[in-house]
Structure formats: C-alpha cells, structure tokens
Amino acid sequence: MKRAIYPGSFDPITLGHEDLIKRAAATVDELIVAVLVNPAKNPLFSVDERVKMIKEVTGKIPNVRVESFDGLLADFARKENAQFIVRGLRMVTDFESEMQMAQTNHVLNENIDTIFFVTSLKYSYLSSTTVRETAAFGGDYSKFVSPEVYAWVERRMRDLKS
Ligand code: ADP
C-alpha cells in the first residue's frame, strides 16, 4: 500500500492545492492531506475549519483522507505508516527550502521519501496568501478557489468587518 502525506497550512485551500491533490491521489493508493497545527502563525481559519473545508472539496476523491497534525512531520508519517511526503514546487524560490525539508525529513525518518509535483502552469502564481490578501482588499478571488471555499472566505471577511 503506497501511502503519502500532503502537508501544508491550507489557509485556505486553493485551486492549486486541489490540482495537486488530484494528481497525487492518482499516483498513490492513499493520500492524507494533513493540516499543520502551527501556533506561530496567525491564521484566517482555525485548523478544524481548514480540515472541514478540505473535506468539502475533496469528498469525491475516494482515496483522500484529511487530518491535522502537530509536532514533527516525520513522526506523523511514522504513525500513519506513510512512505511518501508530497509537496508542490511553484518557482525556483520554493526549491531551496523544500530541498532542505525533504533531506531533513529523510534523516529523521529514513523510510520517508519526498515526491515533488511541478505546479500546473495555470496555478503557479497562486498561493493562500494571494487569496487572503485579494479578499481582504475587496478584489475578485473567485478564480483562485472552489465555490465552497469562496463561501467560507466571504463569510469570514464579513465577520471580520462586523
Ligand atoms: P506551507 O505553509 O507548508 O508551504 P501551503 O499551504 O502554503 O503550506 O502549501 C502546501 C504545499 O502546497 C506546498 O508544497 C506548496 O508548494 C504547495 N502549493 C502551494 N500553492 C500551490 C499551487 N498554486 N499549486 C500547487 N501546489 C501549491
């Protein structure tokens, strides 16, 4: 059983993330999308909200499971019996830190290999930060996220203003 973990902040999940999830899920037997509990960041959505949102948009892909985790990714991978970590590469700027993380994770857990997917051209500009900033300044971010996620962000923006 080939099991991979796709870790990230997903604050919120974008069409770029979704594209990568579809491609990775088609490559392995089970893909675990894992939302990182990162107390250092000040997120727009709580971890539970992000898990719910990701479940909504990936519900139709049978071999995708959504979880959250804190602590070391290498330990979470061991616990889940996963052999692979999936990450996306958008630009060269992603490369250096991703390479370092992949090598660190392999040292911490030698059963783990990182698989990189090159981002689809049409989503290579896209990040969760782009979505949050465009939404905060009243721009049209409907091309960046699924309709379900759009509704979550709209609600959050309204709540923040009231
Ligand atoms: P992190 O804070 O851990 O980088 P993100 O949610 O920003 O979490 O990203 C999670 C993963 O998804 C990373 O591997 C990142 O390179 C990848 N990713 C981010 N945006 C895109 C995109 N537009 N297309 C494909 N992959 C992406």
Side-chain angles (χ1 to χ4, degrees), residues 6-12 14-17 19-20 23 36 38 41 86-90 94 98 101 116-120 123-128:
Y6 178 32
S9 310
F10 306 109
D11 186 35
T14 69
L15 289 177
H17 294 129
D19 176 63
L20 203 138
R23 291 159 63 202
L36 171 70
N38 185 352
K41 283 191 181 175
V86 164
R87 296 285 288 175
L89 285 178
R90 279 164 297 190
D94 280 342
E98 290 294 340
M101 260 196 296
F116 291 108
F117 281 82
V118 173
T119 301
S120 302
Y123 299 129
S124 60
Y125 67 93
L126 196 49
S127 70
S128 299

PDB file of all heavy atoms in Angstrom, residues 6-12 14-17 19-20 23 36 38 41 86-90 94 98 101 116-120 123-128, ligand 1:
ATOM      1  N   TYR A   6       0.307  14.773   2.244  1.00  0.00           N
ATOM      2  CA  TYR A   6       0.479  16.096   1.641  1.00  0.00           C
ATOM      3  C   TYR A   6       0.262  17.123   2.760  1.00  0.00           C
ATOM      4  O   TYR A   6      -0.879  17.421   3.109  1.00  0.00           O
ATOM      5  CB  TYR A   6      -0.546  16.277   0.514  1.00  0.00           C
ATOM      6  CG  TYR A   6      -0.525  17.627  -0.177  1.00  0.00           C
ATOM      7  CD1 TYR A   6       0.651  18.366  -0.332  1.00  0.00           C
ATOM      8  CD2 TYR A   6      -1.695  18.166  -0.707  1.00  0.00           C
ATOM      9  CE1 TYR A   6       0.654  19.591  -0.976  1.00  0.00           C
ATOM     10  CE2 TYR A   6      -1.700  19.393  -1.363  1.00  0.00           C
ATOM     11  CZ  TYR A   6      -0.528  20.094  -1.491  1.00  0.00           C
ATOM     12  OH  TYR A   6      -0.525  21.311  -2.123  1.00  0.00           O
ATOM     13  N   PRO A   7       1.356  17.620   3.343  1.00  0.00           N
ATOM     14  CA  PRO A   7       1.217  18.536   4.467  1.00  0.00           C
ATOM     15  C   PRO A   7       1.194  19.996   4.014  1.00  0.00           C
ATOM     16  O   PRO A   7       1.759  20.342   2.981  1.00  0.00           O
ATOM     17  CB  PRO A   7       2.505  18.272   5.265  1.00  0.00           C
ATOM     18  CG  PRO A   7       3.514  17.963   4.197  1.00  0.00           C
ATOM     19  CD  PRO A   7       2.772  17.344   3.045  1.00  0.00           C
ATOM     20  N   GLY A   8       0.549  20.822   4.799  1.00  0.00           N
ATOM     21  CA  GLY A   8       0.566  22.248   4.481  1.00  0.00           C
ATOM     22  C   GLY A   8      -0.300  23.031   5.431  1.00  0.00           C
ATOM     23  O   GLY A   8      -0.951  22.467   6.320  1.00  0.00           O
ATOM     24  N   SER A   9      -0.310  24.350   5.220  1.00  0.00           N
ATOM     25  CA  SER A   9      -1.150  25.216   6.050  1.00  0.00           C
ATOM     26  C   SER A   9      -2.572  25.282   5.490  1.00  0.00           C
ATOM     27  O   SER A   9      -3.542  25.367   6.242  1.00  0.00           O
ATOM     28  CB  SER A   9      -0.562  26.626   6.105  1.00  0.00           C
ATOM     29  OG  SER A   9       0.801  26.579   6.426  1.00  0.00           O
ATOM     30  N   PHE A  10      -2.689  25.343   4.183  1.00  0.00           N
ATOM     31  CA  PHE A  10      -4.001  25.355   3.504  1.00  0.00           C
ATOM     32  C   PHE A  10      -4.939  26.409   4.108  1.00  0.00           C
ATOM     33  O   PHE A  10      -6.075  26.101   4.470  1.00  0.00           O
ATOM     34  CB  PHE A  10      -4.653  23.972   3.552  1.00  0.00           C
ATOM     35  CG  PHE A  10      -3.798  22.867   3.026  1.00  0.00           C
ATOM     36  CD1 PHE A  10      -3.239  21.923   3.885  1.00  0.00           C
ATOM     37  CD2 PHE A  10      -3.524  22.767   1.672  1.00  0.00           C
ATOM     38  CE1 PHE A  10      -2.425  20.900   3.395  1.00  0.00           C
ATOM     39  CE2 PHE A  10      -2.723  21.737   1.165  1.00  0.00           C
ATOM     40  CZ  PHE A  10      -2.166  20.803   2.040  1.00  0.00           C
ATOM     41  N   ASP A  11      -4.439  27.637   4.210  1.00  0.00           N
ATOM     42  CA  ASP A  11      -5.221  28.698   4.884  1.00  0.00           C
ATOM     43  C   ASP A  11      -5.602  29.803   3.924  1.00  0.00           C
ATOM     44  O   ASP A  11      -5.041  30.894   4.019  1.00  0.00           O
ATOM     45  CB  ASP A  11      -4.388  29.245   6.058  1.00  0.00           C
ATOM     46  CG  ASP A  11      -5.157  30.237   6.895  1.00  0.00           C
ATOM     47  OD1 ASP A  11      -6.373  30.048   7.055  1.00  0.00           O
ATOM     48  OD2 ASP A  11      -4.554  31.213   7.383  1.00  0.00           O
ATOM     49  N   PRO A  12      -6.553  29.627   3.005  1.00  0.00           N
ATOM     50  CA  PRO A  12      -7.366  28.437   2.780  1.00  0.00           C
ATOM     51  C   PRO A  12      -6.797  27.588   1.634  1.00  0.00           C
ATOM     52  O   PRO A  12      -5.856  27.998   0.961  1.00  0.00           O
ATOM     53  CB  PRO A  12      -8.711  29.052   2.343  1.00  0.00           C
ATOM     54  CG  PRO A  12      -8.280  30.238   1.522  1.00  0.00           C
ATOM     55  CD  PRO A  12      -7.024  30.758   2.186  1.00  0.00           C
ATOM     56  N   THR A  14      -6.442  26.297  -2.000  1.00  0.00           N
ATOM     57  CA  THR A  14      -6.645  26.978  -3.288  1.00  0.00           C
ATOM     58  C   THR A  14      -6.849  25.942  -4.403  1.00  0.00           C
ATOM     59  O   THR A  14      -6.645  24.747  -4.191  1.00  0.00           O
ATOM     60  CB  THR A  14      -5.404  27.824  -3.662  1.00  0.00           C
ATOM     61  OG1 THR A  14      -4.321  26.925  -3.973  1.00  0.00           O
ATOM     62  CG2 THR A  14      -4.983  28.756  -2.549  1.00  0.00           C
ATOM     63  N   LEU A  15      -7.161  26.437  -5.596  1.00  0.00           N
ATOM     64  CA  LEU A  15      -7.298  25.526  -6.746  1.00  0.00           C
ATOM     65  C   LEU A  15      -5.961  24.878  -7.089  1.00  0.00           C
ATOM     66  O   LEU A  15      -5.919  23.779  -7.625  1.00  0.00           O
ATOM     67  CB  LEU A  15      -7.856  26.287  -7.954  1.00  0.00           C
ATOM     68  CG  LEU A  15      -9.323  26.699  -7.846  1.00  0.00           C
ATOM     69  CD1 LEU A  15      -9.726  27.520  -9.077  1.00  0.00           C
ATOM     70  CD2 LEU A  15     -10.233  25.483  -7.701  1.00  0.00           C
ATOM     71  N   GLY A  16      -4.858  25.561  -6.754  1.00  0.00           N
ATOM     72  CA  GLY A  16      -3.531  24.983  -6.965  1.00  0.00           C
ATOM     73  C   GLY A  16      -3.332  23.762  -6.076  1.00  0.00           C
ATOM     74  O   GLY A  16      -2.869  22.714  -6.531  1.00  0.00           O
ATOM     75  N   HIS A  17      -3.703  23.885  -4.804  1.00  0.00           N
ATOM     76  CA  HIS A  17      -3.642  22.738  -3.890  1.00  0.00           C
ATOM     77  C   HIS A  17      -4.536  21.608  -4.402  1.00  0.00           C
ATOM     78  O   HIS A  17      -4.141  20.444  -4.401  1.00  0.00           O
ATOM     79  CB  HIS A  17      -4.134  23.120  -2.487  1.00  0.00           C
ATOM     80  CG  HIS A  17      -3.280  24.107  -1.747  1.00  0.00           C
ATOM     81  ND1 HIS A  17      -3.790  25.245  -1.155  1.00  0.00           N
ATOM     82  CD2 HIS A  17      -1.948  24.122  -1.484  1.00  0.00           C
ATOM     83  CE1 HIS A  17      -2.817  25.899  -0.555  1.00  0.00           C
ATOM     84  NE2 HIS A  17      -1.691  25.250  -0.732  1.00  0.00           N
ATOM     85  N   ASP A  19      -5.556  20.922  -7.383  1.00  0.00           N
ATOM     86  CA  ASP A  19      -4.982  20.306  -8.582  1.00  0.00           C
ATOM     87  C   ASP A  19      -3.905  19.296  -8.183  1.00  0.00           C
ATOM     88  O   ASP A  19      -3.867  18.165  -8.687  1.00  0.00           O
ATOM     89  CB  ASP A  19      -4.396  21.428  -9.455  1.00  0.00           C
ATOM     90  CG  ASP A  19      -3.685  20.897 -10.690  1.00  0.00           C
ATOM     91  OD1 ASP A  19      -4.369  20.285 -11.523  1.00  0.00           O
ATOM     92  OD2 ASP A  19      -2.456  21.087 -10.804  1.00  0.00           O
ATOM     93  N   LEU A  20      -3.084  19.708  -7.230  1.00  0.00           N
ATOM     94  CA  LEU A  20      -2.004  18.825  -6.783  1.00  0.00           C
ATOM     95  C   LEU A  20      -2.574  17.588  -6.056  1.00  0.00           C
ATOM     96  O   LEU A  20      -2.072  16.479  -6.217  1.00  0.00           O
ATOM     97  CB  LEU A  20      -1.077  19.623  -5.869  1.00  0.00           C
ATOM     98  CG  LEU A  20       0.323  19.051  -5.778  1.00  0.00           C
ATOM     99  CD1 LEU A  20       1.355  20.155  -5.820  1.00  0.00           C
ATOM    100  CD2 LEU A  20       0.456  18.276  -4.509  1.00  0.00           C
ATOM    101  N   ARG A  23      -3.753  15.095  -8.651  1.00  0.00           N
ATOM    102  CA  ARG A  23      -2.638  14.420  -9.335  1.00  0.00           C
ATOM    103  C   ARG A  23      -1.922  13.451  -8.403  1.00  0.00           C
ATOM    104  O   ARG A  23      -1.553  12.347  -8.800  1.00  0.00           O
ATOM    105  CB  ARG A  23      -1.669  15.467  -9.889  1.00  0.00           C
ATOM    106  CG  ARG A  23      -2.302  16.252 -11.051  1.00  0.00           C
ATOM    107  CD  ARG A  23      -1.611  17.577 -11.272  1.00  0.00           C
ATOM    108  NE  ARG A  23      -0.231  17.440 -11.649  1.00  0.00           N
ATOM    109  CZ  ARG A  23       0.696  18.393 -11.488  1.00  0.00           C
ATOM    110  NH1 ARG A  23       0.362  19.560 -10.937  1.00  0.00           N
ATOM    111  NH2 ARG A  23       1.925  18.197 -11.861  1.00  0.00           N
ATOM    112  N   LEU A  36      -1.297  21.376   9.063  1.00  0.00           N
ATOM    113  CA  LEU A  36      -0.287  21.584  10.087  1.00  0.00           C
ATOM    114  C   LEU A  36      -0.795  22.546  11.171  1.00  0.00           C
ATOM    115  O   LEU A  36      -1.264  23.643  10.860  1.00  0.00           O
ATOM    116  CB  LEU A  36       0.949  22.171   9.396  1.00  0.00           C
ATOM    117  CG  LEU A  36       2.099  22.682  10.227  1.00  0.00           C
ATOM    118  CD1 LEU A  36       2.801  21.515  10.895  1.00  0.00           C
ATOM    119  CD2 LEU A  36       3.065  23.433   9.334  1.00  0.00           C
ATOM    120  N   ASN A  38       0.138  25.093  13.430  1.00  0.00           N
ATOM    121  CA  ASN A  38       1.324  25.939  13.580  1.00  0.00           C
ATOM    122  C   ASN A  38       0.984  27.144  14.451  1.00  0.00           C
ATOM    123  O   ASN A  38       0.461  28.141  13.968  1.00  0.00           O
ATOM    124  CB  ASN A  38       1.799  26.388  12.196  1.00  0.00           C
ATOM    125  CG  ASN A  38       3.096  27.169  12.266  1.00  0.00           C
ATOM    126  OD1 ASN A  38       3.560  27.507  13.357  1.00  0.00           O
ATOM    127  ND2 ASN A  38       3.674  27.453  11.122  1.00  0.00           N
ATOM    128  N   LYS A  41       1.848  30.939  13.506  1.00  0.00           N
ATOM    129  CA  LYS A  41       1.144  31.752  12.501  1.00  0.00           C
ATOM    130  C   LYS A  41      -0.194  32.243  13.049  1.00  0.00           C
ATOM    131  O   LYS A  41      -0.760  31.650  13.951  1.00  0.00           O
ATOM    132  CB  LYS A  41       0.904  30.932  11.237  1.00  0.00           C
ATOM    133  CG  LYS A  41       2.149  30.782  10.377  1.00  0.00           C
ATOM    134  CD  LYS A  41       1.776  30.193   9.029  1.00  0.00           C
ATOM    135  CE  LYS A  41       3.015  30.006   8.151  1.00  0.00           C
ATOM    136  NZ  LYS A  41       2.686  29.336   6.892  1.00  0.00           N
ATOM    137  N   VAL A  86       4.311  14.485  -0.073  1.00  0.00           N
ATOM    138  CA  VAL A  86       4.083  15.168  -1.346  1.00  0.00           C
ATOM    139  C   VAL A  86       4.185  16.669  -1.122  1.00  0.00           C
ATOM    140  O   VAL A  86       3.611  17.192  -0.154  1.00  0.00           O
ATOM    141  CB  VAL A  86       2.665  14.815  -1.879  1.00  0.00           C
ATOM    142  CG1 VAL A  86       2.242  15.781  -2.967  1.00  0.00           C
ATOM    143  CG2 VAL A  86       2.636  13.391  -2.400  1.00  0.00           C
ATOM    144  N   ARG A  87       4.925  17.348  -1.986  1.00  0.00           N
ATOM    145  CA  ARG A  87       4.990  18.805  -1.932  1.00  0.00           C
ATOM    146  C   ARG A  87       4.915  19.355  -3.350  1.00  0.00           C
ATOM    147  O   ARG A  87       5.221  18.650  -4.323  1.00  0.00           O
ATOM    148  CB  ARG A  87       6.295  19.281  -1.278  1.00  0.00           C
ATOM    149  CG  ARG A  87       6.451  18.885   0.179  1.00  0.00           C
ATOM    150  CD  ARG A  87       5.588  19.691   1.116  1.00  0.00           C
ATOM    151  NE  ARG A  87       6.074  21.055   1.253  1.00  0.00           N
ATOM    152  CZ  ARG A  87       5.425  21.999   1.951  1.00  0.00           C
ATOM    153  NH1 ARG A  87       4.273  21.723   2.552  1.00  0.00           N
ATOM    154  NH2 ARG A  87       5.914  23.211   2.050  1.00  0.00           N
ATOM    155  N   GLY A  88       4.519  20.603  -3.461  1.00  0.00           N
ATOM    156  CA  GLY A  88       4.442  21.237  -4.775  1.00  0.00           C
ATOM    157  C   GLY A  88       5.581  22.213  -4.952  1.00  0.00           C
ATOM    158  O   GLY A  88       6.002  22.872  -4.004  1.00  0.00           O
ATOM    159  N   LEU A  89       6.088  22.296  -6.173  1.00  0.00           N
ATOM    160  CA  LEU A  89       7.118  23.302  -6.478  1.00  0.00           C
ATOM    161  C   LEU A  89       6.546  24.303  -7.462  1.00  0.00           C
ATOM    162  O   LEU A  89       6.170  23.950  -8.577  1.00  0.00           O
ATOM    163  CB  LEU A  89       8.350  22.632  -7.094  1.00  0.00           C
ATOM    164  CG  LEU A  89       9.272  21.842  -6.168  1.00  0.00           C
ATOM    165  CD1 LEU A  89      10.399  21.217  -6.977  1.00  0.00           C
ATOM    166  CD2 LEU A  89       9.835  22.715  -5.057  1.00  0.00           C
ATOM    167  N   ARG A  90       6.455  25.553  -7.020  1.00  0.00           N
ATOM    168  CA  ARG A  90       5.916  26.585  -7.896  1.00  0.00           C
ATOM    169  C   ARG A  90       7.021  27.287  -8.673  1.00  0.00           C
ATOM    170  O   ARG A  90       6.994  27.394  -9.880  1.00  0.00           O
ATOM    171  CB  ARG A  90       5.135  27.624  -7.079  1.00  0.00           C
ATOM    172  CG  ARG A  90       3.743  27.184  -6.752  1.00  0.00           C
ATOM    173  CD  ARG A  90       3.159  28.022  -5.665  1.00  0.00           C
ATOM    174  NE  ARG A  90       3.920  27.858  -4.437  1.00  0.00           N
ATOM    175  CZ  ARG A  90       3.546  28.322  -3.262  1.00  0.00           C
ATOM    176  NH1 ARG A  90       2.461  29.029  -3.157  1.00  0.00           N
ATOM    177  NH2 ARG A  90       4.271  28.102  -2.193  1.00  0.00           N
ATOM    178  N   ASP A  94      10.888  28.226  -4.282  1.00  0.00           N
ATOM    179  CA  ASP A  94      10.418  27.154  -3.396  1.00  0.00           C
ATOM    180  C   ASP A  94      11.511  26.104  -3.182  1.00  0.00           C
ATOM    181  O   ASP A  94      11.532  25.410  -2.166  1.00  0.00           O
ATOM    182  CB  ASP A  94       9.214  26.402  -4.015  1.00  0.00           C
ATOM    183  CG  ASP A  94       7.901  27.152  -3.834  1.00  0.00           C
ATOM    184  OD1 ASP A  94       7.841  28.040  -2.967  1.00  0.00           O
ATOM    185  OD2 ASP A  94       6.942  26.825  -4.561  1.00  0.00           O
ATOM    186  N   GLU A  98      12.445  23.651   0.225  1.00  0.00           N
ATOM    187  CA  GLU A  98      11.813  22.327   0.054  1.00  0.00           C
ATOM    188  C   GLU A  98      12.860  21.212   0.063  1.00  0.00           C
ATOM    189  O   GLU A  98      12.649  20.156   0.632  1.00  0.00           O
ATOM    190  CB  GLU A  98      11.017  22.278  -1.251  1.00  0.00           C
ATOM    191  CG  GLU A  98       9.759  23.133  -1.246  1.00  0.00           C
ATOM    192  CD  GLU A  98       8.701  22.642  -0.247  1.00  0.00           C
ATOM    193  OE1 GLU A  98       8.750  21.477   0.166  1.00  0.00           O
ATOM    194  OE2 GLU A  98       7.838  23.444   0.126  1.00  0.00           O
ATOM    195  N   MET A 101      13.991  20.701   3.621  1.00  0.00           N
ATOM    196  CA  MET A 101      12.963  19.987   4.401  1.00  0.00           C
ATOM    197  C   MET A 101      12.933  18.507   4.047  1.00  0.00           C
ATOM    198  O   MET A 101      12.841  17.647   4.911  1.00  0.00           O
ATOM    199  CB  MET A 101      11.585  20.591   4.123  1.00  0.00           C
ATOM    200  CG  MET A 101      11.130  21.549   5.197  1.00  0.00           C
ATOM    201  SD  MET A 101       9.371  21.879   5.079  1.00  0.00           S
ATOM    202  CE  MET A 101       9.211  22.675   3.510  1.00  0.00           C
ATOM    203  N   PHE A 116       8.032  15.501  -5.369  1.00  0.00           N
ATOM    204  CA  PHE A 116       7.663  16.867  -5.758  1.00  0.00           C
ATOM    205  C   PHE A 116       6.827  16.855  -7.025  1.00  0.00           C
ATOM    206  O   PHE A 116       7.177  16.188  -8.005  1.00  0.00           O
ATOM    207  CB  PHE A 116       8.920  17.710  -5.997  1.00  0.00           C
ATOM    208  CG  PHE A 116       9.677  18.001  -4.743  1.00  0.00           C
ATOM    209  CD1 PHE A 116      10.884  17.391  -4.486  1.00  0.00           C
ATOM    210  CD2 PHE A 116       9.160  18.889  -3.805  1.00  0.00           C
ATOM    211  CE1 PHE A 116      11.581  17.643  -3.323  1.00  0.00           C
ATOM    212  CE2 PHE A 116       9.849  19.151  -2.626  1.00  0.00           C
ATOM    213  CZ  PHE A 116      11.056  18.522  -2.386  1.00  0.00           C
ATOM    214  N   PHE A 117       5.752  17.605  -6.984  1.00  0.00           N
ATOM    215  CA  PHE A 117       4.954  17.819  -8.192  1.00  0.00           C
ATOM    216  C   PHE A 117       5.205  19.239  -8.669  1.00  0.00           C
ATOM    217  O   PHE A 117       5.161  20.176  -7.869  1.00  0.00           O
ATOM    218  CB  PHE A 117       3.450  17.644  -7.900  1.00  0.00           C
ATOM    219  CG  PHE A 117       3.035  16.211  -7.831  1.00  0.00           C
ATOM    220  CD1 PHE A 117       3.231  15.471  -6.671  1.00  0.00           C
ATOM    221  CD2 PHE A 117       2.446  15.598  -8.926  1.00  0.00           C
ATOM    222  CE1 PHE A 117       2.857  14.144  -6.610  1.00  0.00           C
ATOM    223  CE2 PHE A 117       2.069  14.268  -8.869  1.00  0.00           C
ATOM    224  CZ  PHE A 117       2.276  13.532  -7.709  1.00  0.00           C
ATOM    225  N   VAL A 118       5.469  19.365  -9.960  1.00  0.00           N
ATOM    226  CA  VAL A 118       5.630  20.708 -10.509  1.00  0.00           C
ATOM    227  C   VAL A 118       4.230  21.279 -10.714  1.00  0.00           C
ATOM    228  O   VAL A 118       3.375  20.637 -11.322  1.00  0.00           O
ATOM    229  CB  VAL A 118       6.424  20.664 -11.835  1.00  0.00           C
ATOM    230  CG1 VAL A 118       6.453  22.034 -12.489  1.00  0.00           C
ATOM    231  CG2 VAL A 118       7.837  20.164 -11.576  1.00  0.00           C
ATOM    232  N   THR A 119       4.006  22.441 -10.178  1.00  0.00           N
ATOM    233  CA  THR A 119       2.698  23.085 -10.241  1.00  0.00           C
ATOM    234  C   THR A 119       2.228  23.290 -11.674  1.00  0.00           C
ATOM    235  O   THR A 119       3.022  23.665 -12.539  1.00  0.00           O
ATOM    236  CB  THR A 119       2.790  24.461  -9.549  1.00  0.00           C
ATOM    237  OG1 THR A 119       3.191  24.241  -8.221  1.00  0.00           O
ATOM    238  CG2 THR A 119       1.483  25.188  -9.563  1.00  0.00           C
ATOM    239  N   SER A 120       0.940  23.044 -11.924  1.00  0.00           N
ATOM    240  CA  SER A 120       0.383  23.325 -13.247  1.00  0.00           C
ATOM    241  C   SER A 120       0.577  24.803 -13.566  1.00  0.00           C
ATOM    242  O   SER A 120       0.413  25.660 -12.688  1.00  0.00           O
ATOM    243  CB  SER A 120      -1.105  22.995 -13.268  1.00  0.00           C
ATOM    244  OG  SER A 120      -1.302  21.647 -12.930  1.00  0.00           O
ATOM    245  N   TYR A 123      -1.711  27.556 -12.359  1.00  0.00           N
ATOM    246  CA  TYR A 123      -1.830  27.866 -10.920  1.00  0.00           C
ATOM    247  C   TYR A 123      -0.500  28.267 -10.292  1.00  0.00           C
ATOM    248  O   TYR A 123      -0.421  28.411  -9.075  1.00  0.00           O
ATOM    249  CB  TYR A 123      -2.371  26.655 -10.163  1.00  0.00           C
ATOM    250  CG  TYR A 123      -3.743  26.214 -10.603  1.00  0.00           C
ATOM    251  CD1 TYR A 123      -3.995  24.893 -10.928  1.00  0.00           C
ATOM    252  CD2 TYR A 123      -4.797  27.128 -10.682  1.00  0.00           C
ATOM    253  CE1 TYR A 123      -5.251  24.471 -11.327  1.00  0.00           C
ATOM    254  CE2 TYR A 123      -6.050  26.724 -11.090  1.00  0.00           C
ATOM    255  CZ  TYR A 123      -6.277  25.397 -11.403  1.00  0.00           C
ATOM    256  OH  TYR A 123      -7.517  24.997 -11.807  1.00  0.00           O
ATOM    257  N   SER A 124       0.525  28.453 -11.103  1.00  0.00           N
ATOM    258  CA  SER A 124       1.854  28.624 -10.499  1.00  0.00           C
ATOM    259  C   SER A 124       1.977  29.951  -9.753  1.00  0.00           C
ATOM    260  O   SER A 124       2.849  30.109  -8.900  1.00  0.00           O
ATOM    261  CB  SER A 124       2.948  28.470 -11.545  1.00  0.00           C
ATOM    262  OG  SER A 124       2.769  29.432 -12.531  1.00  0.00           O
ATOM    263  N   TYR A 125       1.118  30.917 -10.040  1.00  0.00           N
ATOM    264  CA  TYR A 125       1.169  32.214  -9.344  1.00  0.00           C
ATOM    265  C   TYR A 125       0.409  32.177  -8.027  1.00  0.00           C
ATOM    266  O   TYR A 125       0.476  33.089  -7.214  1.00  0.00           O
ATOM    267  CB  TYR A 125       0.541  33.307 -10.233  1.00  0.00           C
ATOM    268  CG  TYR A 125      -0.948  33.083 -10.419  1.00  0.00           C
ATOM    269  CD1 TYR A 125      -1.876  33.688  -9.575  1.00  0.00           C
ATOM    270  CD2 TYR A 125      -1.413  32.207 -11.388  1.00  0.00           C
ATOM    271  CE1 TYR A 125      -3.227  33.430  -9.712  1.00  0.00           C
ATOM    272  CE2 TYR A 125      -2.763  31.946 -11.536  1.00  0.00           C
ATOM    273  CZ  TYR A 125      -3.656  32.562 -10.688  1.00  0.00           C
ATOM    274  OH  TYR A 125      -4.998  32.297 -10.814  1.00  0.00           O
ATOM    275  N   LEU A 126      -0.336  31.092  -7.812  1.00  0.00           N
ATOM    276  CA  LEU A 126      -1.364  31.103  -6.772  1.00  0.00           C
ATOM    277  C   LEU A 126      -0.852  30.620  -5.420  1.00  0.00           C
ATOM    278  O   LEU A 126      -0.162  29.627  -5.323  1.00  0.00           O
ATOM    279  CB  LEU A 126      -2.501  30.184  -7.249  1.00  0.00           C
ATOM    280  CG  LEU A 126      -3.851  30.277  -6.561  1.00  0.00           C
ATOM    281  CD1 LEU A 126      -4.327  31.695  -6.459  1.00  0.00           C
ATOM    282  CD2 LEU A 126      -4.852  29.414  -7.324  1.00  0.00           C
ATOM    283  N   SER A 127      -1.226  31.346  -4.364  1.00  0.00           N
ATOM    284  CA  SER A 127      -0.897  30.908  -3.005  1.00  0.00           C
ATOM    285  C   SER A 127      -2.055  31.286  -2.088  1.00  0.00           C
ATOM    286  O   SER A 127      -2.906  32.118  -2.444  1.00  0.00           O
ATOM    287  CB  SER A 127       0.381  31.585  -2.517  1.00  0.00           C
ATOM    288  OG  SER A 127       0.136  32.954  -2.302  1.00  0.00           O
ATOM    289  N   SER A 128      -2.075  30.709  -0.893  1.00  0.00           N
ATOM    290  CA  SER A 128      -3.116  31.064   0.067  1.00  0.00           C
ATOM    291  C   SER A 128      -3.011  32.540   0.448  1.00  0.00           C
ATOM    292  O   SER A 128      -4.022  33.215   0.676  1.00  0.00           O
ATOM    293  CB  SER A 128      -2.983  30.202   1.334  1.00  0.00           C
ATOM    294  OG  SER A 128      -3.137  28.842   1.022  1.00  0.00           O
TER     295      SER A 128
HETATM  296  P1  ADP B   1       3.160  25.643   3.687  1.00  0.00           P
HETATM  297  O1  ADP B   1       2.936  26.813   4.592  1.00  0.00           O
HETATM  298  O2  ADP B   1       3.513  24.379   4.393  1.00  0.00           O
HETATM  299  O3  ADP B   1       4.025  25.891   2.487  1.00  0.00           O
HETATM  300  P2  ADP B   1       0.922  25.832   1.910  1.00  0.00           P
HETATM  301  O4  ADP B   1      -0.496  25.582   2.240  1.00  0.00           O
HETATM  302  O5  ADP B   1       1.310  27.201   1.515  1.00  0.00           O
HETATM  303  O6  ADP B   1       1.701  25.322   3.177  1.00  0.00           O
HETATM  304  O7  ADP B   1       1.412  24.842   0.779  1.00  0.00           O
HETATM  305  C1  ADP B   1       1.368  23.460   0.935  1.00  0.00           C
HETATM  306  C2  ADP B   1       2.014  22.803  -0.269  1.00  0.00           C
HETATM  307  O8  ADP B   1       1.262  23.095  -1.421  1.00  0.00           O
HETATM  308  C3  ADP B   1       3.443  23.248  -0.575  1.00  0.00           C
HETATM  309  O9  ADP B   1       4.170  22.136  -1.031  1.00  0.00           O
HETATM  310  C4  ADP B   1       3.276  24.232  -1.685  1.00  0.00           C
HETATM  311  O10 ADP B   1       4.421  24.279  -2.531  1.00  0.00           O
HETATM  312  C5  ADP B   1       2.098  23.635  -2.428  1.00  0.00           C
HETATM  313  N1  ADP B   1       1.369  24.661  -3.174  1.00  0.00           N
HETATM  314  C6  ADP B   1       1.053  25.896  -2.755  1.00  0.00           C
HETATM  315  N2  ADP B   1       0.410  26.591  -3.720  1.00  0.00           N
HETATM  316  C7  ADP B   1       0.322  25.755  -4.777  1.00  0.00           C
HETATM  317  C8  ADP B   1      -0.199  25.887  -6.102  1.00  0.00           C
HETATM  318  N3  ADP B   1      -0.712  27.035  -6.532  1.00  0.00           N
HETATM  319  N4  ADP B   1      -0.140  24.815  -6.911  1.00  0.00           N
HETATM  320  C9  ADP B   1       0.433  23.663  -6.480  1.00  0.00           C
HETATM  321  N5  ADP B   1       0.976  23.493  -5.276  1.00  0.00           N
HETATM  322  C10 ADP B   1       0.920  24.508  -4.420  1.00  0.00           C
END
